[in-house]
Amino acid sequence: DGPFRAESYDAAALIALAIQAGGSADRSSIQANMLAVANAPGEQILPGELGKALQILADGGEIDYQGATNVELIGPGELKTKRDDKCMDYNYNNQNVYMHPCHNGANQIFSISSKGEMKTNYDDKCLDYNYGNNNVYMHPCHGGKNQRFSIKPDGHLQTAWDNKCLDYNYNNGNVYMHPCHGGGNQKWFFEIPR
């Protein structure tokens, strides 16, 4: 009956699922499998479906644990859309961000901090929304609303600046902000590199 009952349930469930996914209770195995069981792709797992999730993993399948608190872990990991298997990539030569085949480089490993800053493992720059032309690129962090990102339960990534969604133009690969439409190229998720 405590105030964090749902969060405690989800934390325990995620540990059990990461152990099943990795076949080991070793700390490094749990850590390596946590994002994979907590995020898309995979079959959505709701409260009370822990047994079902364990069986899917035992059978070699993938799960997306939603649990009691609609879990979505925010990296570090590759940032992908449901459109295809490409990863968001930071071109450190021109600071632009675009979709590119995944290669597990530091410039493709993103995370969102508790302040909403989205960074890569490559350097300390933040993803920045240029609201003048809607493009996003890596820029020195300044804490502005156009650098504070959050991922919504439906996979939309938005800033505190306005209600536009991070979008992937699948014709040219560029990533930019666009009015939300719910397409697969606006449904983002983190995945641990394989």
Side-chain angles (χ1 to χ4, degrees):
D1 283 357
F4 298 106
R5 181 176 49 187
E7 290 83 357
S8 298
Y9 174 87
D10 284 345
L14 284 169
I15 291 169
L17 293 168
I19 289 170
Q20 178 77 351
S24 170
D26 178 72
R27 172 186 277 175
S28 61
S29 178
I30 293 170
Q31 182 180 4
N33 287 284
M34 189 65 68
L35 282 178
V37 298
N39 297 333
E43 185 169 339
Q44 287 195 348
I45 303 299
L46 303 174
E49 296 182 333
L50 187 56
K52 172 184 170 184
L54 291 167
Q55 188 59 54
I56 291 170
L57 292 170
D59 293 341
E62 294 182 323
I63 63 165
D64 177 9
Y65 182 79
Q66 299 294 298
T69 60
N70 202 18
V71 172
E72 187 71 30
L73 299 183
I74 53 175
E78 296 170 334
L79 191 53
K80 299 180 173 185
T81 69
K82 296 199 178 198
R83 163 84 183 163
D84 57 34
D85 201 40
K86 291 184 178 177
C87 288
M88 195 158 89
D89 189 288
Y90 161 30
N91 181 339
Y92 42 82
N93 293 313
N94 67 10
Q95 316 315 307
N96 197 43
V97 176
Y98 67 107
M99 299 304 285
H100 188 271
C102 303
H103 56 69
N104 196 21
N107 63 322
Q108 286 190 346
I109 306 300
F110 284 83
S111 60
I112 302 174
S113 75
S114 60
K115 296 187 276 185
E117 294 174 333
M118 190 181 306
K119 297 180 179 182
T120 68
N121 285 355
Y122 182 78
D123 61 23
D124 204 38
K125 291 184 178 175
C126 287
L127 189 64
D128 189 288
Y129 163 28
N130 180 339
Y131 43 85
N133 67 9
N134 294 320
N135 198 42
V136 294
Y137 65 105
M138 302 306 288
H139 187 272
C141 302
H142 54 68
K145 289 182 176 184
N146 62 322
Q147 286 190 349
R148 291 199 321 251
F149 285 82
S150 63
I151 192 162
K152 308 302 181 191
D154 62 3
H156 285 124
L157 261 167
Q158 296 178 287
T159 68
W161 178 261
D162 61 23
N163 61 359
K164 290 184 178 177
C165 288
L166 194 65
D167 191 293
Y168 152 35
N169 181 333
Y170 45 84
N171 291 314
N172 66 15
N174 195 48
V175 176
Y176 65 108
M177 301 303 289
H178 187 272
C180 302
H181 54 67
N185 59 326
Q186 288 189 347
K187 305 258 179 167
W188 298 86
F189 63 93
F190 284 93
E191 186 171 282
I192 291 180
R194 297 175 193 253

